[in-house]
Amino acid sequence: MLMKAAWPLAAIALLSGCATKPQALYNYGTYSESYYAYKQDASAENLLAMQQAILTAIENANDSVSKRVAPGMYANLGYIYFKQGDTKQAVHYFEMEKGLYPESAHFMDRVIEKVRKAEAKGAKS
Amino acid sequence: MKYGKIAAVAASVFAAMIMTGCAAHNAGITKGEAFPQMYEEDPRSILVLPAMNESSDAEAKAYYATTIEMPIAQTGYYVFPMEMVSDVLKQEGVYDTELLYSMSADKFYDYFGADVVMFTRIKKWDVSYMVLASSLTVTIESEAYSTKTNEKLWDYDGSVTVDLTSNSGGGGLAGLLVQAIGTAINTAAADYVEYAHVANARLFFALPAGPYHPAHQTDQGVVIRKR
């Protein structure tokens, strides 16, 4: 795990030459590793592990240069809630993404609209 | 006289090298020279499309997708969430990545509101076996287009080659056999995704800093390798 994290860091250190080692703009925690595990095996267990990794990264967002939650993290979390059938939490986090990153508003609005439609359909049947 | 001149030239070259600092060893091009339109248009958000997989590994596309969000975000851009983007595209009936790559860039503004659409190609994601040595290579090529003008704003490539040959082999036929076994073991343990992260670091080092990065609009002088 440590070795994995060290690889990209080492590459960046090499590339930046004699510059001092920069601290990352955002803290992603173990998001990438958990996402990879989920891609290898899309089990409910791995989805839960990814959800936990994202929640932890969000909690530790201050441990970064920007002190902000990384782009896409709220959206990715919302999408996991959606997959788990929790549309209320899903919309909540899509709104959070939109609030923190206005660049996402167009896409998030479209996604929220889809969730609402899916909800309405579910209510009918 | 002559020596004095040479010494003076050498001294001034040396001074220039010191002044340019880290960049001196890299005979390349600056970000500003390479990608002027990127600075001019100053995009805020990047939509990365699922990669076009030209490698022999069918799973490369899905695995590579897990490595792309972070390096671009760390460069200061808003990156659209990869899993949502690929699922939405599938829901819209776009299963074939090649279809996406033939669409004009402005289409991606309509749906996602992205300033830039980024195409990535996995050129290599494989192990080459040779008699005495084997190596793992991950090579990624990338191009970014403006959704406003459809113009290419940026393109670059990143590659990593790792020698997988075991050093434990002795001479002769027995040595070869030991090497072949060692290589097989190393390959099984080798993690492509790990090296994709390194290839990405090389690739996106050449991306001008985005609006959320402290170096935004001030990194034109950073020297990169020529493509």
Side-chain angles (χ1 to χ4, degrees), chain A residues 4 7 18 25-26 28 31-32 35 76 79 97 103-104 106 110, chain B residues 22 44 66 69-70 73-74 78 83 87 92 110-111 191 194 197 212:
Chain A
K4 259 188 188 169
W7 261 110
C18 52
L25 192 58
Y26 304 105
Y28 274 94
Y31 164 67
S32 178
Y35 186 11
N76 281 315
Y79 194 47
E97 177 83 9
E103 294 88 351
S104 71
H106 190 93
R110 217 173 245 265
Chain B
C22 315
R44 300 192 61 83
T66 70
E69 277 164 274
M70 291 138 295
Q74 304 286 22
Y78 179 76
E83 185 72 2
D87 281 3
E92 297 290 318
D110 297 342
Y111 200 99
D191 190 346
E194 208 170 294
H197 281 293
Y212 290 106

PDB file of all heavy atoms in Angstrom, chain A residues 4 7 18 25-26 28 31-32 35 76 79 97 103-104 106 110, chain B residues 22 44 66 69-70 73-74 78 83 87 92 110-111 191 194 197 212:
ATOM      1  N   LYS A   4       2.719   1.609  -3.215  1.00  0.00           N
ATOM      2  CA  LYS A   4       1.838   2.091  -4.272  1.00  0.00           C
ATOM      3  C   LYS A   4       1.726   3.604  -4.233  1.00  0.00           C
ATOM      4  O   LYS A   4       1.790   4.263  -5.241  1.00  0.00           O
ATOM      5  CB  LYS A   4       0.445   1.483  -4.095  1.00  0.00           C
ATOM      6  CG  LYS A   4       0.221   0.333  -5.034  1.00  0.00           C
ATOM      7  CD  LYS A   4      -1.207  -0.118  -4.964  1.00  0.00           C
ATOM      8  CE  LYS A   4      -1.378  -1.400  -5.764  1.00  0.00           C
ATOM      9  NZ  LYS A   4      -2.642  -2.033  -5.544  1.00  0.00           N
ATOM     10  N   TRP A   7       4.944   5.468  -5.470  1.00  0.00           N
ATOM     11  CA  TRP A   7       5.323   5.518  -6.888  1.00  0.00           C
ATOM     12  C   TRP A   7       5.044   6.849  -7.571  1.00  0.00           C
ATOM     13  O   TRP A   7       5.955   7.482  -8.079  1.00  0.00           O
ATOM     14  CB  TRP A   7       4.659   4.387  -7.655  1.00  0.00           C
ATOM     15  CG  TRP A   7       5.616   3.248  -7.843  1.00  0.00           C
ATOM     16  CD1 TRP A   7       5.562   2.029  -7.243  1.00  0.00           C
ATOM     17  CD2 TRP A   7       6.791   3.240  -8.661  1.00  0.00           C
ATOM     18  NE1 TRP A   7       6.630   1.275  -7.640  1.00  0.00           N
ATOM     19  CE2 TRP A   7       7.404   1.985  -8.504  1.00  0.00           C
ATOM     20  CE3 TRP A   7       7.389   4.181  -9.500  1.00  0.00           C
ATOM     21  CZ2 TRP A   7       8.571   1.642  -9.156  1.00  0.00           C
ATOM     22  CZ3 TRP A   7       8.560   3.839 -10.152  1.00  0.00           C
ATOM     23  CH2 TRP A   7       9.138   2.572  -9.978  1.00  0.00           C
ATOM     24  N   CYS A  18      14.919  19.743  -9.000  1.00  0.00           N
ATOM     25  CA  CYS A  18      15.430  20.200  -7.722  1.00  0.00           C
ATOM     26  C   CYS A  18      14.405  21.004  -6.927  1.00  0.00           C
ATOM     27  O   CYS A  18      14.700  21.503  -5.852  1.00  0.00           O
ATOM     28  CB  CYS A  18      16.704  21.014  -7.922  1.00  0.00           C
ATOM     29  SG  CYS A  18      16.514  22.326  -9.112  1.00  0.00           S
ATOM     30  N   LEU A  25      -2.486  19.276  -4.067  1.00  0.00           N
ATOM     31  CA  LEU A  25      -3.553  20.277  -4.035  1.00  0.00           C
ATOM     32  C   LEU A  25      -4.776  19.730  -3.296  1.00  0.00           C
ATOM     33  O   LEU A  25      -5.438  20.454  -2.560  1.00  0.00           O
ATOM     34  CB  LEU A  25      -3.908  20.650  -5.475  1.00  0.00           C
ATOM     35  CG  LEU A  25      -4.790  21.865  -5.734  1.00  0.00           C
ATOM     36  CD1 LEU A  25      -4.188  23.129  -5.160  1.00  0.00           C
ATOM     37  CD2 LEU A  25      -5.014  22.034  -7.237  1.00  0.00           C
ATOM     38  N   TYR A  26      -5.073  18.442  -3.525  1.00  0.00           N
ATOM     39  CA  TYR A  26      -6.214  17.800  -2.859  1.00  0.00           C
ATOM     40  C   TYR A  26      -5.791  16.502  -2.194  1.00  0.00           C
ATOM     41  O   TYR A  26      -4.834  15.864  -2.620  1.00  0.00           O
ATOM     42  CB  TYR A  26      -7.317  17.464  -3.874  1.00  0.00           C
ATOM     43  CG  TYR A  26      -7.799  18.631  -4.673  1.00  0.00           C
ATOM     44  CD1 TYR A  26      -7.414  18.780  -6.000  1.00  0.00           C
ATOM     45  CD2 TYR A  26      -8.638  19.592  -4.114  1.00  0.00           C
ATOM     46  CE1 TYR A  26      -7.853  19.860  -6.749  1.00  0.00           C
ATOM     47  CE2 TYR A  26      -9.082  20.661  -4.860  1.00  0.00           C
ATOM     48  CZ  TYR A  26      -8.685  20.800  -6.178  1.00  0.00           C
ATOM     49  OH  TYR A  26      -9.123  21.865  -6.918  1.00  0.00           O
ATOM     50  N   TYR A  28      -6.860  12.846  -1.812  1.00  0.00           N
ATOM     51  CA  TYR A  28      -7.740  11.802  -2.341  1.00  0.00           C
ATOM     52  C   TYR A  28      -7.742  10.551  -1.469  1.00  0.00           C
ATOM     53  O   TYR A  28      -8.505   9.618  -1.738  1.00  0.00           O
ATOM     54  CB  TYR A  28      -7.328  11.421  -3.761  1.00  0.00           C
ATOM     55  CG  TYR A  28      -7.925  12.306  -4.826  1.00  0.00           C
ATOM     56  CD1 TYR A  28      -7.227  13.401  -5.312  1.00  0.00           C
ATOM     57  CD2 TYR A  28      -9.182  12.038  -5.333  1.00  0.00           C
ATOM     58  CE1 TYR A  28      -7.774  14.211  -6.296  1.00  0.00           C
ATOM     59  CE2 TYR A  28      -9.740  12.834  -6.314  1.00  0.00           C
ATOM     60  CZ  TYR A  28      -9.033  13.911  -6.790  1.00  0.00           C
ATOM     61  OH  TYR A  28      -9.575  14.719  -7.756  1.00  0.00           O
ATOM     62  N   TYR A  31      -8.846   6.720  -2.423  1.00  0.00           N
ATOM     63  CA  TYR A  31      -9.922   6.655  -3.418  1.00  0.00           C
ATOM     64  C   TYR A  31      -9.528   5.825  -4.645  1.00  0.00           C
ATOM     65  O   TYR A  31     -10.257   4.937  -5.076  1.00  0.00           O
ATOM     66  CB  TYR A  31     -10.326   8.069  -3.831  1.00  0.00           C
ATOM     67  CG  TYR A  31     -11.138   8.132  -5.093  1.00  0.00           C
ATOM     68  CD1 TYR A  31     -12.434   7.607  -5.135  1.00  0.00           C
ATOM     69  CD2 TYR A  31     -10.614   8.688  -6.265  1.00  0.00           C
ATOM     70  CE1 TYR A  31     -13.178   7.648  -6.302  1.00  0.00           C
ATOM     71  CE2 TYR A  31     -11.349   8.730  -7.435  1.00  0.00           C
ATOM     72  CZ  TYR A  31     -12.627   8.206  -7.449  1.00  0.00           C
ATOM     73  OH  TYR A  31     -13.349   8.236  -8.603  1.00  0.00           O
ATOM     74  N   SER A  32      -8.337   6.117  -5.195  1.00  0.00           N
ATOM     75  CA  SER A  32      -7.905   5.458  -6.424  1.00  0.00           C
ATOM     76  C   SER A  32      -7.785   3.942  -6.243  1.00  0.00           C
ATOM     77  O   SER A  32      -8.252   3.161  -7.074  1.00  0.00           O
ATOM     78  CB  SER A  32      -6.560   6.037  -6.870  1.00  0.00           C
ATOM     79  OG  SER A  32      -6.105   5.395  -8.021  1.00  0.00           O
ATOM     80  N   TYR A  35     -11.234   2.395  -5.897  1.00  0.00           N
ATOM     81  CA  TYR A  35     -11.912   2.420  -7.193  1.00  0.00           C
ATOM     82  C   TYR A  35     -11.378   1.279  -8.073  1.00  0.00           C
ATOM     83  O   TYR A  35     -12.138   0.565  -8.737  1.00  0.00           O
ATOM     84  CB  TYR A  35     -11.687   3.788  -7.845  1.00  0.00           C
ATOM     85  CG  TYR A  35     -12.430   4.071  -9.142  1.00  0.00           C
ATOM     86  CD1 TYR A  35     -13.453   3.242  -9.602  1.00  0.00           C
ATOM     87  CD2 TYR A  35     -12.097   5.201  -9.896  1.00  0.00           C
ATOM     88  CE1 TYR A  35     -14.115   3.525 -10.792  1.00  0.00           C
ATOM     89  CE2 TYR A  35     -12.755   5.497 -11.069  1.00  0.00           C
ATOM     90  CZ  TYR A  35     -13.757   4.649 -11.526  1.00  0.00           C
ATOM     91  OH  TYR A  35     -14.397   4.936 -12.700  1.00  0.00           O
ATOM     92  N   ASN A  76     -19.060  11.490  -6.849  1.00  0.00           N
ATOM     93  CA  ASN A  76     -18.804  10.045  -6.801  1.00  0.00           C
ATOM     94  C   ASN A  76     -19.505   9.402  -5.603  1.00  0.00           C
ATOM     95  O   ASN A  76     -20.046   8.300  -5.704  1.00  0.00           O
ATOM     96  CB  ASN A  76     -17.300   9.766  -6.728  1.00  0.00           C
ATOM     97  CG  ASN A  76     -16.617   9.899  -8.084  1.00  0.00           C
ATOM     98  OD1 ASN A  76     -17.114   9.401  -9.086  1.00  0.00           O
ATOM     99  ND2 ASN A  76     -15.487  10.580  -8.118  1.00  0.00           N
ATOM    100  N   TYR A  79     -23.177   9.166  -6.270  1.00  0.00           N
ATOM    101  CA  TYR A  79     -23.452   8.099  -7.221  1.00  0.00           C
ATOM    102  C   TYR A  79     -23.468   6.724  -6.540  1.00  0.00           C
ATOM    103  O   TYR A  79     -24.244   5.842  -6.910  1.00  0.00           O
ATOM    104  CB  TYR A  79     -22.432   8.140  -8.356  1.00  0.00           C
ATOM    105  CG  TYR A  79     -22.818   7.295  -9.541  1.00  0.00           C
ATOM    106  CD1 TYR A  79     -24.103   7.365 -10.072  1.00  0.00           C
ATOM    107  CD2 TYR A  79     -21.900   6.438 -10.144  1.00  0.00           C
ATOM    108  CE1 TYR A  79     -24.462   6.588 -11.170  1.00  0.00           C
ATOM    109  CE2 TYR A  79     -22.253   5.661 -11.237  1.00  0.00           C
ATOM    110  CZ  TYR A  79     -23.533   5.741 -11.742  1.00  0.00           C
ATOM    111  OH  TYR A  79     -23.898   4.965 -12.817  1.00  0.00           O
ATOM    112  N   GLU A  97     -21.710  18.844  -4.685  1.00  0.00           N
ATOM    113  CA  GLU A  97     -20.714  18.949  -5.758  1.00  0.00           C
ATOM    114  C   GLU A  97     -20.913  20.250  -6.535  1.00  0.00           C
ATOM    115  O   GLU A  97     -19.977  20.990  -6.792  1.00  0.00           O
ATOM    116  CB  GLU A  97     -20.837  17.740  -6.697  1.00  0.00           C
ATOM    117  CG  GLU A  97     -19.894  17.769  -7.905  1.00  0.00           C
ATOM    118  CD  GLU A  97     -18.502  17.256  -7.588  1.00  0.00           C
ATOM    119  OE1 GLU A  97     -18.301  16.723  -6.476  1.00  0.00           O
ATOM    120  OE2 GLU A  97     -17.611  17.402  -8.445  1.00  0.00           O
ATOM    121  N   GLU A 103     -18.483  24.496 -11.911  1.00  0.00           N
ATOM    122  CA  GLU A 103     -18.199  23.904 -13.228  1.00  0.00           C
ATOM    123  C   GLU A 103     -19.034  22.657 -13.482  1.00  0.00           C
ATOM    124  O   GLU A 103     -19.236  22.246 -14.617  1.00  0.00           O
ATOM    125  CB  GLU A 103     -16.714  23.512 -13.334  1.00  0.00           C
ATOM    126  CG  GLU A 103     -15.737  24.680 -13.316  1.00  0.00           C
ATOM    127  CD  GLU A 103     -15.330  25.068 -11.895  1.00  0.00           C
ATOM    128  OE1 GLU A 103     -15.935  24.543 -10.933  1.00  0.00           O
ATOM    129  OE2 GLU A 103     -14.420  25.893 -11.755  1.00  0.00           O
ATOM    130  N   SER A 104     -19.497  22.035 -12.381  1.00  0.00           N
ATOM    131  CA  SER A 104     -20.223  20.772 -12.523  1.00  0.00           C
ATOM    132  C   SER A 104     -21.735  20.983 -12.647  1.00  0.00           C
ATOM    133  O   SER A 104     -22.479  20.026 -12.893  1.00  0.00           O
ATOM    134  CB  SER A 104     -19.954  19.874 -11.311  1.00  0.00           C
ATOM    135  OG  SER A 104     -20.613  20.395 -10.160  1.00  0.00           O
ATOM    136  N   HIS A 106     -24.023  22.167 -14.700  1.00  0.00           N
ATOM    137  CA  HIS A 106     -24.742  21.718 -15.887  1.00  0.00           C
ATOM    138  C   HIS A 106     -24.962  20.193 -15.834  1.00  0.00           C
ATOM    139  O   HIS A 106     -26.079  19.701 -16.027  1.00  0.00           O
ATOM    140  CB  HIS A 106     -23.905  22.102 -17.113  1.00  0.00           C
ATOM    141  CG  HIS A 106     -24.592  21.936 -18.419  1.00  0.00           C
ATOM    142  ND1 HIS A 106     -25.275  22.950 -19.028  1.00  0.00           N
ATOM    143  CD2 HIS A 106     -24.692  20.871 -19.242  1.00  0.00           C
ATOM    144  CE1 HIS A 106     -25.764  22.514 -20.179  1.00  0.00           C
ATOM    145  NE2 HIS A 106     -25.427  21.245 -20.333  1.00  0.00           N
ATOM    146  N   ARG A 110     -28.502  17.821 -14.722  1.00  0.00           N
ATOM    147  CA  ARG A 110     -28.983  16.783 -15.606  1.00  0.00           C
ATOM    148  C   ARG A 110     -29.137  15.450 -14.847  1.00  0.00           C
ATOM    149  O   ARG A 110     -30.129  14.729 -15.022  1.00  0.00           O
ATOM    150  CB  ARG A 110     -27.979  16.598 -16.745  1.00  0.00           C
ATOM    151  CG  ARG A 110     -28.620  16.308 -18.072  1.00  0.00           C
ATOM    152  CD  ARG A 110     -27.548  16.325 -19.128  1.00  0.00           C
ATOM    153  NE  ARG A 110     -27.771  17.408 -20.055  1.00  0.00           N
ATOM    154  CZ  ARG A 110     -28.422  17.242 -21.226  1.00  0.00           C
ATOM    155  NH1 ARG A 110     -28.895  16.067 -21.569  1.00  0.00           N
ATOM    156  NH2 ARG A 110     -28.582  18.251 -22.037  1.00  0.00           N
TER     157      ARG A 110
ATOM    158  N   CYS B  22      16.728  24.356 -12.585  1.00  0.00           N
ATOM    159  CA  CYS B  22      16.404  22.959 -12.834  1.00  0.00           C
ATOM    160  C   CYS B  22      16.218  22.664 -14.310  1.00  0.00           C
ATOM    161  O   CYS B  22      16.398  21.553 -14.756  1.00  0.00           O
ATOM    162  CB  CYS B  22      15.102  22.581 -12.128  1.00  0.00           C
ATOM    163  SG  CYS B  22      15.032  23.175 -10.471  1.00  0.00           S
ATOM    164  N   ARG B  44     -11.645  25.888 -17.496  1.00  0.00           N
ATOM    165  CA  ARG B  44     -11.777  25.566 -16.076  1.00  0.00           C
ATOM    166  C   ARG B  44     -12.029  24.077 -15.839  1.00  0.00           C
ATOM    167  O   ARG B  44     -11.673  23.545 -14.798  1.00  0.00           O
ATOM    168  CB  ARG B  44     -12.945  26.343 -15.455  1.00  0.00           C
ATOM    169  CG  ARG B  44     -12.824  27.858 -15.525  1.00  0.00           C
ATOM    170  CD  ARG B  44     -13.875  28.522 -14.637  1.00  0.00           C
ATOM    171  NE  ARG B  44     -13.720  28.147 -13.244  1.00  0.00           N
ATOM    172  CZ  ARG B  44     -12.874  28.723 -12.406  1.00  0.00           C
ATOM    173  NH1 ARG B  44     -12.114  29.710 -12.804  1.00  0.00           N
ATOM    174  NH2 ARG B  44     -12.807  28.309 -11.154  1.00  0.00           N
ATOM    175  N   THR B  66      -9.435   4.343 -13.545  1.00  0.00           N
ATOM    176  CA  THR B  66      -9.334   4.602 -12.105  1.00  0.00           C
ATOM    177  C   THR B  66      -8.134   5.490 -11.757  1.00  0.00           C
ATOM    178  O   THR B  66      -7.954   5.869 -10.604  1.00  0.00           O
ATOM    179  CB  THR B  66      -9.227   3.285 -11.301  1.00  0.00           C
ATOM    180  OG1 THR B  66      -7.949   2.683 -11.550  1.00  0.00           O
ATOM    181  CG2 THR B  66     -10.325   2.320 -11.667  1.00  0.00           C
ATOM    182  N   GLU B  69      -8.585  10.691 -12.816  1.00  0.00           N
ATOM    183  CA  GLU B  69      -9.174  11.870 -12.174  1.00  0.00           C
ATOM    184  C   GLU B  69      -8.149  12.684 -11.370  1.00  0.00           C
ATOM    185  O   GLU B  69      -8.082  13.903 -11.491  1.00  0.00           O
ATOM    186  CB  GLU B  69     -10.298  11.444 -11.219  1.00  0.00           C
ATOM    187  CG  GLU B  69     -11.635  11.224 -11.894  1.00  0.00           C
ATOM    188  CD  GLU B  69     -12.578  10.448 -10.986  1.00  0.00           C
ATOM    189  OE1 GLU B  69     -12.525   9.208 -10.998  1.00  0.00           O
ATOM    190  OE2 GLU B  69     -13.346  11.085 -10.255  1.00  0.00           O
ATOM    191  N   MET B  70      -7.401  11.960 -10.528  1.00  0.00           N
ATOM    192  CA  MET B  70      -6.516  12.662  -9.589  1.00  0.00           C
ATOM    193  C   MET B  70      -5.438  13.531 -10.229  1.00  0.00           C
ATOM    194  O   MET B  70      -5.334  14.696  -9.867  1.00  0.00           O
ATOM    195  CB  MET B  70      -5.884  11.675  -8.618  1.00  0.00           C
ATOM    196  CG  MET B  70      -6.896  11.119  -7.672  1.00  0.00           C
ATOM    197  SD  MET B  70      -6.628   9.377  -7.448  1.00  0.00           S
ATOM    198  CE  MET B  70      -6.968   8.770  -9.058  1.00  0.00           C
ATOM    199  N   ALA B  73      -6.955  16.735 -11.677  1.00  0.00           N
ATOM    200  CA  ALA B  73      -7.468  17.621 -10.631  1.00  0.00           C
ATOM    201  C   ALA B  73      -6.320  18.288  -9.872  1.00  0.00           C
ATOM    202  O   ALA B  73      -6.370  19.483  -9.584  1.00  0.00           O
ATOM    203  CB  ALA B  73      -8.355  16.843  -9.668  1.00  0.00           C
ATOM    204  N   GLN B  74      -5.281  17.506  -9.581  1.00  0.00           N
ATOM    205  CA  GLN B  74      -4.134  18.063  -8.851  1.00  0.00           C
ATOM    206  C   GLN B  74      -3.440  19.153  -9.657  1.00  0.00           C
ATOM    207  O   GLN B  74      -2.718  19.973  -9.103  1.00  0.00           O
ATOM    208  CB  GLN B  74      -3.100  16.973  -8.503  1.00  0.00           C
ATOM    209  CG  GLN B  74      -3.632  15.785  -7.713  1.00  0.00           C
ATOM    210  CD  GLN B  74      -3.930  16.074  -6.244  1.00  0.00           C
ATOM    211  OE1 GLN B  74      -4.141  17.227  -5.868  1.00  0.00           O
ATOM    212  NE2 GLN B  74      -3.972  15.037  -5.428  1.00  0.00           N
ATOM    213  N   TYR B  78     -11.228  21.386 -12.838  1.00  0.00           N
ATOM    214  CA  TYR B  78     -12.365  20.580 -12.431  1.00  0.00           C
ATOM    215  C   TYR B  78     -12.418  19.374 -13.364  1.00  0.00           C
ATOM    216  O   TYR B  78     -12.442  19.541 -14.587  1.00  0.00           O
ATOM    217  CB  TYR B  78     -13.693  21.352 -12.481  1.00  0.00           C
ATOM    218  CG  TYR B  78     -14.820  20.439 -12.060  1.00  0.00           C
ATOM    219  CD1 TYR B  78     -14.997  20.137 -10.718  1.00  0.00           C
ATOM    220  CD2 TYR B  78     -15.619  19.785 -13.001  1.00  0.00           C
ATOM    221  CE1 TYR B  78     -15.975  19.232 -10.316  1.00  0.00           C
ATOM    222  CE2 TYR B  78     -16.588  18.882 -12.601  1.00  0.00           C
ATOM    223  CZ  TYR B  78     -16.757  18.608 -11.258  1.00  0.00           C
ATOM    224  OH  TYR B  78     -17.697  17.696 -10.862  1.00  0.00           O
ATOM    225  N   GLU B  83     -16.577   7.625 -13.220  1.00  0.00           N
ATOM    226  CA  GLU B  83     -17.528   6.511 -13.202  1.00  0.00           C
ATOM    227  C   GLU B  83     -18.901   6.970 -13.701  1.00  0.00           C
ATOM    228  O   GLU B  83     -19.558   6.278 -14.475  1.00  0.00           O
ATOM    229  CB  GLU B  83     -17.618   5.947 -11.775  1.00  0.00           C
ATOM    230  CG  GLU B  83     -18.476   4.709 -11.616  1.00  0.00           C
ATOM    231  CD  GLU B  83     -17.851   3.446 -12.200  1.00  0.00           C
ATOM    232  OE1 GLU B  83     -16.710   3.510 -12.702  1.00  0.00           O
ATOM    233  OE2 GLU B  83     -18.513   2.402 -12.170  1.00  0.00           O
ATOM    234  N   ASP B  87     -20.767   5.727 -17.209  1.00  0.00           N
ATOM    235  CA  ASP B  87     -22.095   5.101 -17.104  1.00  0.00           C
ATOM    236  C   ASP B  87     -23.158   5.886 -17.865  1.00  0.00           C
ATOM    237  O   ASP B  87     -24.015   5.300 -18.520  1.00  0.00           O
ATOM    238  CB  ASP B  87     -22.496   4.957 -15.627  1.00  0.00           C
ATOM    239  CG  ASP B  87     -21.821   3.763 -14.972  1.00  0.00           C
ATOM    240  OD1 ASP B  87     -21.010   3.099 -15.661  1.00  0.00           O
ATOM    241  OD2 ASP B  87     -22.087   3.493 -13.783  1.00  0.00           O
ATOM    242  N   GLU B  92     -26.677   6.455 -22.619  1.00  0.00           N
ATOM    243  CA  GLU B  92     -27.069   7.174 -23.827  1.00  0.00           C
ATOM    244  C   GLU B  92     -26.832   6.318 -25.075  1.00  0.00           C
ATOM    245  O   GLU B  92     -27.008   6.783 -26.196  1.00  0.00           O
ATOM    246  CB  GLU B  92     -26.280   8.487 -23.945  1.00  0.00           C
ATOM    247  CG  GLU B  92     -26.532   9.476 -22.824  1.00  0.00           C
ATOM    248  CD  GLU B  92     -27.924  10.096 -22.841  1.00  0.00           C
ATOM    249  OE1 GLU B  92     -28.396  10.452 -23.925  1.00  0.00           O
ATOM    250  OE2 GLU B  92     -28.543  10.189 -21.763  1.00  0.00           O
ATOM    251  N   ASP B 110     -22.744  20.610 -24.658  1.00  0.00           N
ATOM    252  CA  ASP B 110     -24.205  20.516 -24.544  1.00  0.00           C
ATOM    253  C   ASP B 110     -24.619  19.607 -23.391  1.00  0.00           C
ATOM    254  O   ASP B 110     -25.531  19.926 -22.639  1.00  0.00           O
ATOM    255  CB  ASP B 110     -24.815  19.971 -25.849  1.00  0.00           C
ATOM    256  CG  ASP B 110     -24.563  20.904 -27.028  1.00  0.00           C
ATOM    257  OD1 ASP B 110     -24.249  22.080 -26.771  1.00  0.00           O
ATOM    258  OD2 ASP B 110     -24.670  20.440 -28.174  1.00  0.00           O
ATOM    259  N   TYR B 111     -23.968  18.474 -23.281  1.00  0.00           N
ATOM    260  CA  TYR B 111     -24.408  17.520 -22.267  1.00  0.00           C
ATOM    261  C   TYR B 111     -23.758  17.747 -20.902  1.00  0.00           C
ATOM    262  O   TYR B 111     -24.420  17.682 -19.873  1.00  0.00           O
ATOM    263  CB  TYR B 111     -24.133  16.082 -22.730  1.00  0.00           C
ATOM    264  CG  TYR B 111     -24.979  15.081 -21.971  1.00  0.00           C
ATOM    265  CD1 TYR B 111     -26.148  14.568 -22.527  1.00  0.00           C
ATOM    266  CD2 TYR B 111     -24.635  14.685 -20.675  1.00  0.00           C
ATOM    267  CE1 TYR B 111     -26.945  13.687 -21.822  1.00  0.00           C
ATOM    268  CE2 TYR B 111     -25.427  13.805 -19.962  1.00  0.00           C
ATOM    269  CZ  TYR B 111     -26.581  13.313 -20.540  1.00  0.00           C
ATOM    270  OH  TYR B 111     -27.376  12.453 -19.836  1.00  0.00           O
ATOM    271  N   ASP B 191       2.113  -4.623 -11.298  1.00  0.00           N
ATOM    272  CA  ASP B 191       0.801  -3.996 -11.318  1.00  0.00           C
ATOM    273  C   ASP B 191       0.804  -2.867 -12.349  1.00  0.00           C
ATOM    274  O   ASP B 191       1.434  -1.842 -12.158  1.00  0.00           O
ATOM    275  CB  ASP B 191       0.516  -3.452  -9.920  1.00  0.00           C
ATOM    276  CG  ASP B 191      -0.922  -2.999  -9.770  1.00  0.00           C
ATOM    277  OD1 ASP B 191      -1.606  -2.849 -10.785  1.00  0.00           O
ATOM    278  OD2 ASP B 191      -1.333  -2.778  -8.636  1.00  0.00           O
ATOM    279  N   GLU B 194      -0.176   0.636 -11.189  1.00  0.00           N
ATOM    280  CA  GLU B 194       0.895   1.351 -10.495  1.00  0.00           C
ATOM    281  C   GLU B 194       1.724   2.161 -11.502  1.00  0.00           C
ATOM    282  O   GLU B 194       2.052   3.320 -11.271  1.00  0.00           O
ATOM    283  CB  GLU B 194       1.776   0.299  -9.842  1.00  0.00           C
ATOM    284  CG  GLU B 194       2.495   0.739  -8.611  1.00  0.00           C
ATOM    285  CD  GLU B 194       3.132  -0.461  -7.953  1.00  0.00           C
ATOM    286  OE1 GLU B 194       2.404  -1.350  -7.467  1.00  0.00           O
ATOM    287  OE2 GLU B 194       4.363  -0.516  -7.968  1.00  0.00           O
ATOM    288  N   HIS B 197      -0.008   5.176 -13.124  1.00  0.00           N
ATOM    289  CA  HIS B 197       0.097   6.389 -12.306  1.00  0.00           C
ATOM    290  C   HIS B 197       1.375   7.156 -12.647  1.00  0.00           C
ATOM    291  O   HIS B 197       1.373   8.384 -12.715  1.00  0.00           O
ATOM    292  CB  HIS B 197       0.097   6.040 -10.811  1.00  0.00           C
ATOM    293  CG  HIS B 197      -1.262   5.739 -10.257  1.00  0.00           C
ATOM    294  ND1 HIS B 197      -2.246   6.697 -10.148  1.00  0.00           N
ATOM    295  CD2 HIS B 197      -1.806   4.591  -9.776  1.00  0.00           C
ATOM    296  CE1 HIS B 197      -3.336   6.157  -9.632  1.00  0.00           C
ATOM    297  NE2 HIS B 197      -3.098   4.881  -9.396  1.00  0.00           N
ATOM    298  N   TYR B 212      -7.567  26.258 -10.253  1.00  0.00           N
ATOM    299  CA  TYR B 212      -7.511  25.972  -8.808  1.00  0.00           C
ATOM    300  C   TYR B 212      -6.076  25.778  -8.304  1.00  0.00           C
ATOM    301  O   TYR B 212      -5.877  25.528  -7.124  1.00  0.00           O
ATOM    302  CB  TYR B 212      -8.360  24.745  -8.478  1.00  0.00           C
ATOM    303  CG  TYR B 212      -9.849  24.997  -8.605  1.00  0.00           C
ATOM    304  CD1 TYR B 212     -10.579  24.495  -9.670  1.00  0.00           C
ATOM    305  CD2 TYR B 212     -10.528  25.777  -7.659  1.00  0.00           C
ATOM    306  CE1 TYR B 212     -11.935  24.746  -9.799  1.00  0.00           C
ATOM    307  CE2 TYR B 212     -11.880  26.040  -7.778  1.00  0.00           C
ATOM    308  CZ  TYR B 212     -12.585  25.516  -8.846  1.00  0.00           C
ATOM    309  OH  TYR B 212     -13.925  25.779  -8.968  1.00  0.00           O
TER     310      TYR B 212
END
